[in-house]
Amino acid sequence: SRARPLTTSVLRASTAYPRLTGHPGSSVRQARVVAFGGDDKFLEAAMDADGFPAKLGTPLGKVVVQGVVVAAAAGGWSIAPSVRPVVKGVFAAAGGGIGWLVRRQLVKTRRKAATGVLAKLLSSKGVGNVKLDEAWQLAKSYGVKESEFVGQLTTLYATYLSACLRSAQAKTSELSDLLTLQRSFNLGFDAVGDAIFDVCGRFYSEQRAYFEAEEEHEAKQKLDKLIFLADRALSEDPSEEGFRYERTRICRKFGFDDAEWNRRVERVGAPFYRELLATVSKDPGAVSSRDLSAVGDQLGLSEDTRTRMKLEELRRLVSASLEASGAKLTPSQVEKLRAVSGSLGVPEEQYRTVIEDAVAPAYSFAVNEAFSELEASETDNSANLLGKLALRQQELDLTTAGANRLEAEAAQKRASSLITGALTNLRSQNTKGAADALRSLTRFAERVSAFVRAAGKVAQDAEESSVMEVYFGGVAKSVTPAEATNLYRVFLMEKAEEKALDRLRQLTGVTEADAEKAYEEVAGPIYRSKLLEAVGAGTDSFPATVKASLKELEASLGLPAAVTERYRSDAYRARLTEKAGDGKIPSEADDDLLASLRAFLDLDDATVETIHVDICAAAYASSVRETMGSSGIILDEYREGLEKLQTRLRIPDSVAEEIYLGEARRKLKELGDKAVESMMEAMKKETEAPKEGEDAGKMNMDARVAITAAATQLVDFARAAKLTIEEGDQVIAKVNLRGITDPKSLKELYKQFLVECFQGQGEQSDKLFAQSPVLGKVLGLEESETNSIKTDLGSLIYRNYLNKALQERTPNDEDREFLASIQTALGMDAALCDRLLEDMKKLRVSTMVEQMFDGSNLSAESVATVRETSERFGLEIGVDLQLPQNRLTRMFRAEIEDAIASGDVPADDTGRLSELKEAYSLPEAVVTKELEQCIEKRCAGHLLQAGSALRRGQNDAVVEEIDMLIRFNSLMPFKVTSNAVLPNELEDLLMRYQASAMKDGPLDAEGEKRMSVLRTALGLEKATNETVSA
């Protein structure tokens, strides 16, 4: 609402009155006012107020000022050197002038003295007791103008602010008095901002050297105080823009940003707020949270700073309470803490955090003692320890969640300590010491688990892993995976119990895979050796007694079932590789041996199938390849053999199908590559010129036959190999060439095959068309791709056929029948076919137009041929062909000229003209203009030719030209002008034509009409037939 920055400042621009801090050339000293907050803020109290200038404002002083001029004039009169009235009058006038100057200076001095008098008034009555009206009345008594009065008030405000900087210690009374001055004097915020900026400028100039020094100095503390007072005074401005402007220019003066400004404000305001918080701690009812918020706003403290200070005060009070009551919180202390928290406005969550952080050491100490007793006790004493901890929890006002967290931290810390001891022993090769530490660890975890269950912290039937996760979840982070595995291996070698091993695995984060590996490394070699001894190579029988001994060994070693199962699988894999590896097919005796071995090893079907697939898949794939042969077609007897082989090799149907389709796809690619090669060869031969003695037609035919044969072989193979499922018009290919052959080549092959389908005759063509859907699926083409190829090919056939047919005729029934067969064969869209026919008709007519214009063959006959062809095709030449209007105009002109010349457009019948205008779809204005230009041009030309014939004496030629002149002029009668034909020649032309017309007798009505048109054209309307005859 106010313009910033101000172009002038009352404080800085006014020179009509001095500042209390002094100004050049003045002897005014700073006024001393009794301290508004308890100390002096003006250095000298009323030095000017008690001096002579201030006396000028009294009633006597005003009389003296007013009488100066009279006294000076009287003095001049009295000191005149002559008694002559004139001389005395001159001296009196001179004396009066001098008196006026003296009076003027006294008035100015009196106005300046008003500032000191105002300072004395404020000193004597106090800032809050001097109202603006009272100050204004006092200033008016000294002759101060209203504009000067504002400047004096602003000067007093700046003087007080400067006086505050005599001490680095901030006082709330100083801020209160500044705000009171600001409000009592009704100072505008622009004036306040200028006053503060002026004080900052002078303070910066005086103390700059101390600001730049690295060591601490009182000036830096005064700067903080100045920024604090400035921020609080300027924050009264309701305009956020005004406040930001004033703050920004002060920041620029001292060279810091907004963040530094805020830090300095909070550095000064924080101690006052901290004292208030201490008051709340002593008496929670003394200050409400609402009052605290208001004080925080007045001191300029951010919400984060206030929250931090509240929590610090609360922590201090909690610590003091714990210290005073012997590391516990009494009910009265808890009640007071709750009250203080409420007064401070601390949320429950933050209050609980402060309490738990403060009492955590005491409770953790109690938990550690309890865990030590739990670990050292021979019996389960969980109930006793639970009671102690519950009492301690209550004494410390600790929540159950907080207690659980501290208990878990203590448990994890103890477990990590035991793991560290185990690792230390392990590094020093003391495996026994490491094992003892691990036993202590697992025993401790077991006791803690019982303790947790007894406390009801988890359900009695909860999984052990859930307890481990809650109380020992972070233990695994204290050990690396490799160290954890080594500890597990040592514990395993010491024949620890399975539960203890499982507990150690959960504590240290050893995965099941690593645990199995450790079992394998420790006990696996023993079991594996005995197993291979029983079923290894060369063993043909597997007694039950041997199987029983292996079971006993497995139980004694304590190996997991997964480990022993893997060993048994490996043993079977080794024997199967011996009998069926490297593509070998096992004999029937081998089958029996392997069956006995499977029974001995107790292998499940899924494991056996997996092993057989890994070992025997290559042999089965080789057999499939062999049965396919070069043609790729598998005979039924061979297919039965493959099924038997699949059963013997124990290969699942899904895997066998996958192997079969893989081999079929390999064969399909071979045939597809051959077909593509045949197509490329055929396309190459079509572009090559035949050698001498070669028949080009026979060469192309042979090449095209090769394409058909290769594509047909693909279809025959797919059907014979049962790679397709054909149900009506639907075809599904189990494998195809998509992804293993160039997609462009596949599309081109399909296109060339369709071309060959059209080249065939009768049943051969139908057979090829029937194969096209299967071929498309075998090639891996999507339906959208085959449809696109069919559409492109059909469109090409349509265009080629119509391009030739339309040159000879309008499409007849035979043409439509052929085009319909193409549409049906390729499944083309009917709308597309109609559009192609329409486009080809337009193309044919457009081609005729281009040829006519390009060959300069623009005649009435050629134009009529184009128009009639367009009409025969059902096209509107002026609309459908989208020809430029200039071409349509030229074509219209050619036809209309010929029509007029031939007499097809008589003056009394414009039907032909309208017909041509509609045919070319020309606007009326264009037709009229062309007709006028045509008639004018032809009339002028025929008149010129008639005159020439007249001069040559060719009377018949004259009559012929005049006939044409009359024919054109009759459509638009007008006088034809020609500079080449003289007036007497015009009369002669009229005479000769009339003589020719009357040679067989008098003129009839038509003859009279023609003569009238001629007279108009020649400009001889006044000449009568008799005159001409004469």
Side-chain angles (χ1 to χ4, degrees):
S1 60
R2 56 180 179 165
R4 294 295 184 114
L6 297 174
T7 54
T8 59
S9 167
V10 174
L11 183 61
R12 294 194 296 274
S14 176
T15 57
Y17 52 91
R19 300 193 184 102
L20 294 184
T21 52
H23 67 283
S26 75
S27 60
V28 180
R29 291 166 296 279
Q30 293 179 325
R32 179 174 57 83
V33 179
V34 176
F36 306 143
D39 60 351
D40 289 347
K41 286 296 180 290
F42 290 105
L43 297 177
E44 300 176 3
M47 290 291 293
D48 288 340
D50 296 333
F52 171 74
K55 304 297 185 195
L56 296 176
T58 62
L60 179 61
K62 292 179 180 179
V63 171
V64 171
V65 171
Q66 295 295 333
V68 166
V69 177
V70 176
W77 176 276
S78 62
I79 64 172
S82 172
V83 295
R84 295 174 58 188
V86 174
V87 176
K88 285 183 173 290
V90 170
F91 271 83
I98 294 172
W100 182 83
L101 293 175
V102 172
R103 178 182 177 278
R104 180 181 179 186
Q105 186 61 38
L106 289 175
V107 170
K108 186 183 297 184
T109 302
R110 184 179 63 189
R111 287 203 302 268
K112 293 178 180 179
T115 303
V117 176
L118 284 174
K120 184 175 181 180
L121 178 64
L122 290 169
S123 172
S124 60
K125 299 185 66 174
V127 173
N129 298 321
V130 178
K131 303 301 180 183
L132 180 62
D133 290 342
E134 182 181 1
W136 170 236
Q137 293 301 325
L138 178 62
K140 280 202 305 183
S141 67
Y142 279 80
V144 177
K145 299 178 181 178
E146 185 174 355
S147 59
E148 295 174 333
F149 178 63
V150 174
Q152 290 177 346
L153 294 180
T154 307
T155 300
L156 287 171
Y157 183 87
T159 301
Y160 183 82
L161 180 59
S162 297
C164 291
L165 299 180
R166 293 172 188 165
S167 170
Q169 182 180 2
K171 299 178 181 178
T172 55
S173 58
E174 294 173 338
L175 173 60
S176 176
D177 287 341
L178 271 177
L179 297 178
T180 301
L181 278 173
Q182 187 173 330
R183 295 163 185 164
S184 297
F185 290 166
N186 198 21
L187 293 176
F189 292 105
D190 49 357
V192 171
D194 289 337
I196 293 174
F197 184 75
D198 184 71
V199 172
C200 290
R202 285 185 281 108
F203 183 73
Y204 177 77
S205 300
E206 296 168 0
Q207 309 292 337
R208 179 177 181 179
Y210 301 113
F211 299 156
E212 297 175 353
E214 293 183 0
E215 61 272 8
E216 286 297 323
H217 192 274
E218 187 183 31
K220 296 182 180 180
Q221 299 175 13
K222 290 181 179 180
L223 176 59
D224 289 347
K225 180 179 180 180
L226 174 59
I227 296 302
F228 170 76
L229 294 175
D231 180 83
R232 295 297 84 213
L234 294 174
S235 66
E236 295 285 303
D237 191 345
S239 169
E240 180 65 24
E241 293 181 359
F243 171 75
R244 283 202 304 268
Y245 167 75
E246 299 294 354
R247 182 179 64 180
T248 299
R249 65 172 179 162
I250 295 174
C251 285
R252 288 178 180 174
K253 171 65 71 175
F254 290 103
F256 47 72
D257 54 15
D258 293 347
E260 178 65 19
W261 173 284
N262 293 332
R263 282 194 294 271
R264 291 178 180 273
V265 170
E266 292 189 348
R267 196 152 55 210
V268 176
F272 298 113
Y273 196 70
R274 191 172 288 110
E275 290 178 8
L276 186 60
L277 294 178
T279 301
V280 175
S281 296
K282 294 177 183 178
D283 183 5
V287 182
S288 66
S289 59
R290 185 174 181 180
D291 294 336
L292 275 176
S293 178
V295 172
D297 292 340
Q298 293 174 358
L299 295 175
L301 300 179
S302 66
E303 285 295 335
D304 290 342
T305 301
R306 297 183 215 178
T307 300
R308 175 177 52 79
M309 295 178 68
K310 290 175 183 179
L311 295 179
E312 288 175 354
E313 179 61 25
L314 189 59
R315 291 190 191 97
R316 185 196 65 77
L317 183 60
V318 173
S319 298
S321 299
L322 288 171
E323 185 177 355
S325 58
K328 64 179 180 180
L329 295 175
T330 64
S332 60
Q333 289 175 328
V334 171
E335 183 180 358
K336 181 178 179 180
L337 288 173
R338 284 285 185 181
V340 170
S341 176
S343 297
L344 295 179
V346 176
E348 176 65 20
E349 182 179 355
Q350 292 182 346
Y351 170 77
R352 294 311 320 172
T353 301
V354 171
I355 294 294
E356 291 182 5
D357 290 346
V359 303
Y363 190 75
S364 295
F365 179 79
V367 171
N368 288 329
E369 285 189 338
F371 282 168
S372 297
E373 291 183 31
L374 189 68
E375 190 176 358
S377 176
E378 295 295 333
T379 60
D380 184 7
N381 59 344
S382 300
N384 183 35
L385 297 178
L386 283 173
K388 291 181 179 180
L389 289 178
L391 176 61
R392 193 65 177 131
Q393 176 184 343
Q394 183 179 4
E395 290 176 345
L396 296 174
D397 190 28
L398 189 61
T399 62
T400 301
N404 291 344
R405 178 178 59 82
L406 294 173
E407 290 166 8
E409 290 177 358
Q412 292 182 21
K413 184 176 180 181
R414 176 56 183 161
S416 298
S417 175
L418 291 171
I419 289 177
T420 301
L423 287 173
T424 302
N425 285 309
L426 187 60
R427 294 188 187 101
S428 61
Q429 305 299 317
N430 183 4
T431 56
K432 185 179 183 306
D436 290 340
L438 294 176
R439 286 192 185 91
S440 298
L441 173 64
T442 56
R443 184 170 177 273
F444 173 69
E446 181 182 6
R447 291 291 179 87
V448 170
S449 177
F451 169 81
V452 171
R453 294 177 191 276
K457 299 179 185 296
V458 297
Q460 290 293 335
D461 57 351
E463 295 287 339
E464 185 73 12
S465 58
S466 62
V467 179
M468 294 294 104
E469 179 64 27
V470 173
Y471 274 79
F472 298 99
V475 174
K477 298 179 181 178
S478 64
V479 59
T480 66
E483 291 173 337
T485 303
N486 289 334
L487 292 175
Y488 188 82
R489 187 181 295 108
V490 168
F491 209 38
L492 180 64
M493 292 174 64
E494 291 294 323
K495 298 181 180 181
E497 295 180 359
E498 186 173 352
K499 288 186 177 180
L501 284 169
D502 187 57
R503 192 171 288 114
L504 177 63
R505 185 179 65 79
Q506 294 178 24
L507 285 169
T508 57
V510 175
T511 63
E512 292 184 4
D514 289 338
E516 290 180 5
K517 186 177 180 181
Y519 268 113
E520 182 180 350
E521 291 174 354
V522 175
I526 302 173
Y527 180 80
R528 184 172 180 273
S529 175
K530 291 294 183 181
L531 180 62
L532 292 180
E533 182 180 334
V535 301
T539 305
D540 297 332
S541 61
F542 313 103
T545 54
V546 176
K547 182 177 181 180
S549 64
L550 284 174
K551 286 288 185 181
E552 292 177 2
L553 177 62
E554 178 181 345
S556 65
L557 292 176
L559 285 170
V563 175
T564 58
E565 183 179 351
R566 186 170 68 251
Y567 283 135
R568 294 197 304 273
S569 299
D570 291 344
Y572 183 76
R573 182 183 295 272
R575 293 306 301 271
L576 181 61
T577 303
E578 174 191 341
K579 302 298 182 182
D582 298 329
K584 294 184 294 185
I585 297 177
S587 63
E588 293 183 1
D590 293 334
D591 289 342
D592 295 338
L593 176 66
L594 292 172
S596 300
L597 180 59
R598 288 194 295 273
F600 178 83
L601 295 175
D602 291 331
L603 296 177
D604 58 79
D605 292 341
T607 302
V608 172
E609 282 186 356
T610 301
I611 297 172
H612 274 261
V613 169
D614 293 343
I615 304 301
C616 303
Y620 184 75
S622 178
S623 298
V624 172
R625 214 163 25 246
E626 290 175 0
T627 55
M628 283 185 176
S630 59
S631 65
I633 299 175
I634 302 177
L635 301 177
D636 290 340
E637 55 268 27
Y638 290 161
R639 192 176 296 278
E640 292 176 1
L642 280 176
E643 292 175 356
K644 292 179 180 179
L645 179 61
Q646 174 192 341
T647 302
R648 289 183 55 204
L649 296 178
R650 299 182 67 84
I651 295 178
D653 292 341
S654 59
V655 177
E657 178 73 5
E658 183 180 350
I659 294 173
Y660 176 77
L661 293 179
E663 292 299 321
R665 195 179 194 203
R666 183 191 61 79
K667 187 64 179 180
L668 190 66
K669 184 180 188 309
E670 179 182 329
L671 296 175
D673 292 344
K674 180 180 177 182
V676 171
E677 185 179 350
S678 298
M679 177 189 69
M680 300 303 293
E681 185 67 22
M683 296 174 67
K684 179 180 179 183
K685 287 183 178 180
E686 288 180 352
T687 58
E688 291 180 348
K691 296 180 181 178
E692 186 176 353
E694 291 183 340
D695 186 351
K698 185 177 183 304
M699 287 177 56
N700 292 339
M701 182 177 295
D702 293 342
R704 308 302 300 185
V705 169
I707 295 177
T708 306
T712 301
Q713 188 178 11
L714 273 174
V715 175
D716 291 343
F717 167 70
R719 285 174 168 168
K722 299 181 179 180
L723 301 179
T724 60
I725 301 174
E726 301 179 37
E727 297 179 359
D729 296 336
Q730 297 296 321
V731 178
I732 300 175
K734 297 179 181 179
V735 294
N736 55 57
L737 294 175
R738 194 177 192 91
I740 58 175
T741 303
D742 178 36
K744 293 183 179 179
S745 299
L746 295 177
K747 293 178 182 179
E748 186 63 29
L749 178 60
Y750 185 75
K751 176 183 176 182
Q752 294 300 326
F753 180 77
L754 290 178
V755 172
E756 292 307 310
C757 291
F758 284 105
Q759 299 292 338
Q761 300 292 330
E763 293 182 1
Q764 180 187 6
S765 178
D766 294 340
K767 181 180 179 182
L768 292 178
F769 267 118
Q771 292 179 348
S772 63
V774 180
L775 178 62
K777 293 298 182 181
V778 171
L779 295 177
L781 300 178
E782 301 289 346
E783 184 176 356
S784 59
E785 294 173 323
T786 57
N787 289 340
S788 176
I789 293 172
K790 289 178 180 180
T791 299
D792 292 344
L793 180 59
S795 300
L796 178 62
I797 296 174
Y798 252 69
R799 292 190 184 95
N800 290 340
Y801 181 83
L802 288 172
N803 187 45
K804 183 178 180 181
L806 291 176
Q807 294 181 27
E808 302 173 356
R809 61 187 178 277
T810 302
N812 53 31
D813 292 341
E814 184 180 349
D815 296 328
R816 283 188 283 273
E817 183 179 352
F818 173 77
L819 294 175
S821 66
I822 299 298
Q823 177 184 343
T824 303
L826 296 177
M828 297 176 66
D829 181 60
L832 172 63
C833 294
D834 293 340
R835 190 165 60 253
L836 287 171
L837 177 59
E838 188 76 8
D839 291 345
M840 291 307 298
K841 289 178 179 179
K842 293 178 182 178
L843 178 62
R844 174 57 190 158
V845 178
S846 297
T847 302
M848 294 176 67
V849 172
E850 290 298 328
Q851 291 174 348
M852 181 175 63
F853 277 95
D854 292 345
S856 300
N857 187 29
L858 186 65
S859 64
E861 182 180 359
S862 61
V863 171
T865 300
V866 171
R867 179 176 52 76
E868 290 169 359
T869 301
S870 175
E871 292 172 353
R872 193 170 63 252
F873 287 168
L875 301 175
E876 294 185 28
I877 193 171
V879 177
D880 296 331
L881 300 184
Q882 297 183 347
L883 295 175
Q885 191 179 79
N886 63 329
R887 287 196 170 186
L888 292 172
T889 303
R890 291 178 63 187
M891 294 171 69
F892 170 78
R893 185 188 306 141
E895 281 212 77
I896 198 64
E897 279 190 28
D898 182 71
I900 296 172
S902 62
D904 290 343
V905 186
D908 56 351
D909 185 6
T910 59
R912 179 62 174 163
L913 178 63
S914 299
E915 179 184 336
L916 291 176
K917 184 184 73 171
E918 292 177 2
Y920 290 104
S921 302
L922 292 172
E924 184 69 31
V926 174
V927 171
T928 301
K929 181 179 179 182
E930 284 299 316
L931 189 60
E932 289 176 353
Q933 291 179 351
C934 173
I935 292 173
E936 289 175 359
K937 179 181 177 183
R938 291 298 296 269
C939 287
H942 288 304
L943 179 59
L944 179 62
Q945 294 299 325
S948 299
L950 178 64
R951 285 189 288 273
R952 292 194 304 270
Q954 298 175 348
N955 195 56
D956 292 340
V958 169
V959 173
E960 183 179 347
E961 292 296 334
I962 292 298
D963 271 336
M964 295 301 296
L965 173 62
I966 293 172
R967 192 169 293 171
F968 278 94
N969 199 267
S970 63
L971 296 175
M972 188 180 67
F974 71 100
K975 178 183 178 182
V976 181
T977 58
S978 176
N979 296 329
V981 182
L982 300 176
N984 61 328
E985 291 178 329
L986 294 175
E987 294 177 357
D988 197 3
L989 289 173
L990 177 63
M991 180 187 65
R992 287 177 182 272
Y993 183 77
Q994 183 169 348
S996 174
M998 297 177 64
K999 65 181 179 180
D1000 295 329
L1003 296 176
D1004 56 11
E1006 179 64 25
E1008 288 293 345
K1009 184 178 180 181
R1010 292 174 62 81
M1011 287 303 298
S1012 176
V1013 171
L1014 179 58
R1015 282 193 291 271
T1016 300
L1018 298 179
L1020 302 174
E1021 291 91 343
K1022 295 181 180 181
T1024 64
N1025 291 339
E1026 292 76 9
T1027 303
V1028 174
S1029 298

